[in-house]
Amino acid sequence: MSQEIIHVAIVEDDEEIRQSLALIIKGTSGYYCKHTFVDGPSALKELPNVYANVILMDIELPGMSGIEVIKALKPQLPAVDFLMLTVKQDAASIFASLCAGASGYLMKDTPPSEILQSITEVHAGGAPMSTAIARQVVNSFQKKPLASPLSSRETEILQLL
């Protein structure tokens, strides 16, 4: 019985990071990466036409943010999992990403083995998050409801995720 290959696309403007991620993914059995994008507009235009199970998405991209790209693409690609891979740790970025349709949120300093594990996890229906990000999400639910930047409906949707 052969293992399913997870097709990954990368949207990252930093060439070194983008190429390193692609090499790691291509060089690991069970993963495949053919498509990489350097900015939001090219990703928005091309991703609907490529086969990918998981898309690694940076937030700070030229042209438009990764959050805007996900918000536009998720309705077109409901079966694709978007996994944020960013340096942004602020609550607004985390919650905007999740509300836009991201299924996980990792920091760029995440070790390659954990990134690969998170790709597998998100593809299997999980919601991987770096530990610091998970703590912020948990803390946001433990505060008074008025302290949340989200509406009650947004909070309900996030809880259902």
Side-chain angles (χ1 to χ4, degrees), residues 133-146:
I133 301 305
R135 174 63 72 168
Q136 283 194 52
V137 171
V138 168
N139 287 344
S140 74
F141 288 107
Q142 293 174 348
K143 292 180 181 175
K144 297 177 189 174
L146 295 177

PDB file of all heavy atoms in Angstrom, residues 133-146:
ATOM      1  N   ILE A 133       1.619  30.543  19.468  1.00  0.00           N
ATOM      2  CA  ILE A 133       0.369  30.951  18.817  1.00  0.00           C
ATOM      3  C   ILE A 133      -0.810  30.266  19.493  1.00  0.00           C
ATOM      4  O   ILE A 133      -1.830  30.895  19.791  1.00  0.00           O
ATOM      5  CB  ILE A 133       0.410  30.614  17.313  1.00  0.00           C
ATOM      6  CG1 ILE A 133       1.585  31.322  16.627  1.00  0.00           C
ATOM      7  CG2 ILE A 133      -0.920  30.947  16.653  1.00  0.00           C
ATOM      8  CD1 ILE A 133       1.637  32.820  16.810  1.00  0.00           C
ATOM      9  N   ALA A 134      -0.687  28.982  19.756  1.00  0.00           N
ATOM     10  CA  ALA A 134      -1.760  28.248  20.437  1.00  0.00           C
ATOM     11  C   ALA A 134      -2.059  28.878  21.790  1.00  0.00           C
ATOM     12  O   ALA A 134      -3.224  29.010  22.180  1.00  0.00           O
ATOM     13  CB  ALA A 134      -1.371  26.779  20.594  1.00  0.00           C
ATOM     14  N   ARG A 135      -1.026  29.296  22.496  1.00  0.00           N
ATOM     15  CA  ARG A 135      -1.216  29.942  23.805  1.00  0.00           C
ATOM     16  C   ARG A 135      -2.017  31.234  23.650  1.00  0.00           C
ATOM     17  O   ARG A 135      -2.907  31.512  24.443  1.00  0.00           O
ATOM     18  CB  ARG A 135       0.138  30.208  24.459  1.00  0.00           C
ATOM     19  CG  ARG A 135       0.054  31.017  25.753  1.00  0.00           C
ATOM     20  CD  ARG A 135      -0.706  30.302  26.830  1.00  0.00           C
ATOM     21  NE  ARG A 135       0.092  29.194  27.317  1.00  0.00           N
ATOM     22  CZ  ARG A 135      -0.181  28.516  28.407  1.00  0.00           C
ATOM     23  NH1 ARG A 135      -1.232  28.814  29.138  1.00  0.00           N
ATOM     24  NH2 ARG A 135       0.559  27.509  28.781  1.00  0.00           N
ATOM     25  N   GLN A 136      -1.700  32.026  22.623  1.00  0.00           N
ATOM     26  CA  GLN A 136      -2.449  33.271  22.402  1.00  0.00           C
ATOM     27  C   GLN A 136      -3.918  32.979  22.100  1.00  0.00           C
ATOM     28  O   GLN A 136      -4.803  33.691  22.568  1.00  0.00           O
ATOM     29  CB  GLN A 136      -1.840  34.070  21.244  1.00  0.00           C
ATOM     30  CG  GLN A 136      -0.583  34.805  21.617  1.00  0.00           C
ATOM     31  CD  GLN A 136      -0.231  35.831  20.573  1.00  0.00           C
ATOM     32  OE1 GLN A 136      -1.073  36.648  20.201  1.00  0.00           O
ATOM     33  NE2 GLN A 136       1.005  35.799  20.122  1.00  0.00           N
ATOM     34  N   VAL A 137      -4.178  31.945  21.312  1.00  0.00           N
ATOM     35  CA  VAL A 137      -5.558  31.588  20.987  1.00  0.00           C
ATOM     36  C   VAL A 137      -6.293  31.177  22.263  1.00  0.00           C
ATOM     37  O   VAL A 137      -7.410  31.633  22.528  1.00  0.00           O
ATOM     38  CB  VAL A 137      -5.601  30.466  19.926  1.00  0.00           C
ATOM     39  CG1 VAL A 137      -7.019  29.942  19.738  1.00  0.00           C
ATOM     40  CG2 VAL A 137      -5.042  30.969  18.600  1.00  0.00           C
ATOM     41  N   VAL A 138      -5.661  30.330  23.066  1.00  0.00           N
ATOM     42  CA  VAL A 138      -6.265  29.892  24.331  1.00  0.00           C
ATOM     43  C   VAL A 138      -6.518  31.090  25.238  1.00  0.00           C
ATOM     44  O   VAL A 138      -7.608  31.241  25.806  1.00  0.00           O
ATOM     45  CB  VAL A 138      -5.374  28.844  25.034  1.00  0.00           C
ATOM     46  CG1 VAL A 138      -5.836  28.596  26.458  1.00  0.00           C
ATOM     47  CG2 VAL A 138      -5.363  27.546  24.239  1.00  0.00           C
ATOM     48  N   ASN A 139      -5.524  31.961  25.383  1.00  0.00           N
ATOM     49  CA  ASN A 139      -5.673  33.142  26.241  1.00  0.00           C
ATOM     50  C   ASN A 139      -6.807  34.042  25.781  1.00  0.00           C
ATOM     51  O   ASN A 139      -7.508  34.627  26.598  1.00  0.00           O
ATOM     52  CB  ASN A 139      -4.370  33.933  26.308  1.00  0.00           C
ATOM     53  CG  ASN A 139      -3.317  33.249  27.151  1.00  0.00           C
ATOM     54  OD1 ASN A 139      -3.604  32.349  27.933  1.00  0.00           O
ATOM     55  ND2 ASN A 139      -2.073  33.667  26.975  1.00  0.00           N
ATOM     56  N   SER A 140      -7.000  34.137  24.481  1.00  0.00           N
ATOM     57  CA  SER A 140      -8.061  35.014  23.978  1.00  0.00           C
ATOM     58  C   SER A 140      -9.438  34.521  24.399  1.00  0.00           C
ATOM     59  O   SER A 140     -10.349  35.314  24.594  1.00  0.00           O
ATOM     60  CB  SER A 140      -7.987  35.135  22.459  1.00  0.00           C
ATOM     61  OG  SER A 140      -8.437  33.956  21.849  1.00  0.00           O
ATOM     62  N   PHE A 141      -9.594  33.215  24.575  1.00  0.00           N
ATOM     63  CA  PHE A 141     -10.883  32.671  24.990  1.00  0.00           C
ATOM     64  C   PHE A 141     -11.067  32.716  26.500  1.00  0.00           C
ATOM     65  O   PHE A 141     -12.169  32.562  26.991  1.00  0.00           O
ATOM     66  CB  PHE A 141     -11.049  31.239  24.482  1.00  0.00           C
ATOM     67  CG  PHE A 141     -11.271  31.177  23.007  1.00  0.00           C
ATOM     68  CD1 PHE A 141     -10.268  30.733  22.165  1.00  0.00           C
ATOM     69  CD2 PHE A 141     -12.468  31.589  22.451  1.00  0.00           C
ATOM     70  CE1 PHE A 141     -10.459  30.685  20.798  1.00  0.00           C
ATOM     71  CE2 PHE A 141     -12.671  31.551  21.084  1.00  0.00           C
ATOM     72  CZ  PHE A 141     -11.657  31.099  20.253  1.00  0.00           C
ATOM     73  N   GLN A 142      -9.976  32.921  27.225  1.00  0.00           N
ATOM     74  CA  GLN A 142     -10.065  32.967  28.682  1.00  0.00           C
ATOM     75  C   GLN A 142     -10.266  34.379  29.205  1.00  0.00           C
ATOM     76  O   GLN A 142     -10.517  34.574  30.376  1.00  0.00           O
ATOM     77  CB  GLN A 142      -8.805  32.339  29.296  1.00  0.00           C
ATOM     78  CG  GLN A 142      -8.718  30.862  29.018  1.00  0.00           C
ATOM     79  CD  GLN A 142      -7.424  30.237  29.490  1.00  0.00           C
ATOM     80  OE1 GLN A 142      -6.479  30.917  29.846  1.00  0.00           O
ATOM     81  NE2 GLN A 142      -7.387  28.919  29.496  1.00  0.00           N
ATOM     82  N   LYS A 143     -10.163  35.366  28.323  1.00  0.00           N
ATOM     83  CA  LYS A 143     -10.384  36.760  28.722  1.00  0.00           C
ATOM     84  C   LYS A 143     -11.875  37.055  28.729  1.00  0.00           C
ATOM     85  O   LYS A 143     -12.684  36.296  28.221  1.00  0.00           O
ATOM     86  CB  LYS A 143      -9.681  37.705  27.734  1.00  0.00           C
ATOM     87  CG  LYS A 143      -8.180  37.623  27.800  1.00  0.00           C
ATOM     88  CD  LYS A 143      -7.575  38.569  26.802  1.00  0.00           C
ATOM     89  CE  LYS A 143      -6.057  38.483  26.835  1.00  0.00           C
ATOM     90  NZ  LYS A 143      -5.443  39.308  25.809  1.00  0.00           N
ATOM     91  N   LYS A 144     -12.206  38.214  29.260  1.00  0.00           N
ATOM     92  CA  LYS A 144     -13.595  38.661  29.218  1.00  0.00           C
ATOM     93  C   LYS A 144     -14.029  38.784  27.763  1.00  0.00           C
ATOM     94  O   LYS A 144     -13.246  39.198  26.917  1.00  0.00           O
ATOM     95  CB  LYS A 144     -13.728  40.035  29.885  1.00  0.00           C
ATOM     96  CG  LYS A 144     -13.367  40.040  31.344  1.00  0.00           C
ATOM     97  CD  LYS A 144     -13.454  41.448  31.870  1.00  0.00           C
ATOM     98  CE  LYS A 144     -12.889  41.528  33.273  1.00  0.00           C
ATOM     99  NZ  LYS A 144     -12.838  42.896  33.744  1.00  0.00           N
ATOM    100  N   PRO A 145     -15.275  38.474  27.454  1.00  0.00           N
ATOM    101  CA  PRO A 145     -15.740  38.558  26.073  1.00  0.00           C
ATOM    102  C   PRO A 145     -15.525  39.927  25.441  1.00  0.00           C
ATOM    103  O   PRO A 145     -15.284  40.019  24.259  1.00  0.00           O
ATOM    104  CB  PRO A 145     -17.232  38.224  26.168  1.00  0.00           C
ATOM    105  CG  PRO A 145     -17.356  37.412  27.411  1.00  0.00           C
ATOM    106  CD  PRO A 145     -16.294  37.935  28.344  1.00  0.00           C
ATOM    107  N   LEU A 146     -15.592  41.010  26.218  1.00  0.00           N
ATOM    108  CA  LEU A 146     -15.404  42.340  25.663  1.00  0.00           C
ATOM    109  C   LEU A 146     -13.969  42.583  25.213  1.00  0.00           C
ATOM    110  O   LEU A 146     -13.719  43.446  24.391  1.00  0.00           O
ATOM    111  CB  LEU A 146     -15.807  43.414  26.690  1.00  0.00           C
ATOM    112  CG  LEU A 146     -17.284  43.438  27.069  1.00  0.00           C
ATOM    113  CD1 LEU A 146     -17.546  44.488  28.153  1.00  0.00           C
ATOM    114  CD2 LEU A 146     -18.138  43.724  25.844  1.00  0.00           C
TER     115      LEU A 146
END
